[in-house]
Amino acid sequence: MSKTSRRLIFTLMKDRMTPAVRMTGHTQRGQCAKRMSILDAAADVFCRQGFAGASIDEIAAVAGVSRQTIYNHYREKETLFVAVVEDVMNRANAMLFSVLSTFPDRADNLEDDLTAFAVRLNKNCICNHDGKFLRKLVQTEGERYPHLFESWRQQGPGKLTTALSALFGRLAHKGALAIDDFDVAARQFVALGNADLQMMILLGGTPTDEELENAARNAVHTFLKAYGRPEAEKAGHPPQLAAISG
């Protein structure tokens, strides 16, 4: 067979295969979009109605799909609920680590930098839609699904304090902070950051930018009162002890 003939056959075979490949890719994208639509709708309904009050019919209506389509993808309501929580946790964790990457690594303007970080942490991880959704589900469904939320505790708050502990350790190594127990300091930083917002968040409110700023500044000011090193020590000159008269 000549080279020209082989090239022609190859071209004809490629042309015959391309529509099938295109159809497969189109179908996969369509299925993925449908799954995301179902998950988003289910998250909305579960958040409003709780697990017991949510119905597959309502979720299907919000998603714009048939009831059978949901069963084809997720078999039953409990399987769908687990998938929704995992999807929200994955998004929440991605946002969390994005915010953690902005943690200050210099001591030049530590109070302002830590305040800005605390604002980002509260705004994007605690007070955002996914944060509110997870807290509400923990409150309403935690007793029913303790294993599910134990995973969330380890993957979300657990990873936050572990990561902050290491970041505070780095600042302490540079001489910016004086901390004996980094894990305790990390938990206290998070608790202080939520202190002024806790009641508002519990009641479903969303703090303004000004409220986020004030809460963060109060938290960081208190945190540095406990763990900040005096300027003289950071500069390498320990404060002089007062003479004791005999």
Side-chain angles (χ1 to χ4, degrees), residues 8-242:
L8 178 60
I9 291 173
F10 175 78
T11 302
L12 290 172
M13 290 177 65
K14 183 179 178 182
D15 289 343
R16 291 180 63 187
M17 292 171 62
T18 299
V21 172
R22 285 203 193 105
M23 182 60 70
T24 300
H26 179 74
T27 302
Q28 289 175 343
R29 287 192 296 273
Q31 291 296 321
C32 182
K34 192 169 291 186
R35 285 178 186 272
M36 293 307 300
S37 177
I38 293 171
L39 288 175
D40 288 343
D44 175 60
V45 175
F46 283 133
C47 189
R48 287 188 285 105
Q49 308 288 0
F51 177 83
S55 72
I56 293 297
D57 286 333
E58 183 177 2
I59 293 170
V62 174
V65 300
S66 69
R67 174 189 179 92
Q68 189 58 47
T69 297
I70 294 180
Y71 283 124
N72 289 343
H73 284 287
Y74 295 103
R75 300 194 312 276
E76 59 185 8
K77 187 168 76 168
E78 184 167 332
T79 305
L80 176 57
F81 179 73
V82 171
V84 166
V85 174
E86 289 179 349
D87 182 59
V88 175
M89 284 194 299
N90 288 337
R91 285 203 309 268
N93 284 337
M95 177 58 72
L96 172 61
F97 285 105
S98 176
V99 171
L100 285 171
S101 70
T102 69
F103 187 86
D105 58 359
R106 297 171 60 88
D108 300 348
N109 194 21
L110 190 56
E111 183 163 355
D112 286 343
D113 289 344
L114 276 177
T115 297
F117 171 78
V119 169
R120 290 191 294 272
L121 184 64
N122 277 328
K123 185 172 186 176
N124 297 309
C125 301
I126 308 298
C127 301
N128 68 335
H129 181 269
D130 287 338
K132 290 180 178 180
F133 174 74
L134 284 172
R135 278 194 304 279
K136 183 168 184 178
L137 284 187
V138 168
Q139 292 165 3
T140 58
E141 309 295 344
E143 186 174 353
R144 180 184 176 93
Y145 295 96
H147 60 287
L148 188 62
F149 294 106
E150 174 62 20
S151 172
W152 168 76
R153 186 186 68 80
Q154 294 176 356
Q155 295 299 313
K159 283 190 174 181
L160 170 59
T161 53
T162 299
L164 281 177
S165 175
L167 293 167
F168 283 130
R170 191 171 66 188
L171 283 176
H173 180 72
K174 293 180 178 181
L177 298 171
I179 299 175
D180 294 326
D181 190 322
F182 299 118
D183 290 334
V184 170
R187 292 196 297 271
Q188 289 175 340
F189 182 83
V190 175
L192 287 168
N194 292 332
D196 290 345
L197 305 174
Q198 189 171 12
M199 185 56 65
M200 182 188 305
I201 293 172
L202 183 64
L203 296 174
T206 300
T208 65
D209 288 345
E210 183 180 1
E211 288 169 332
L212 287 169
E213 172 74 22
N214 289 337
R217 194 159 294 282
N218 290 339
V220 171
H221 181 74
T222 303
F223 184 83
L224 292 180
K225 282 282 188 181
Y227 296 114
R229 292 184 62 184
E231 293 299 322
E233 289 186 27
K234 288 189 283 187
H237 304 292
Q240 297 295 319
L241 296 176

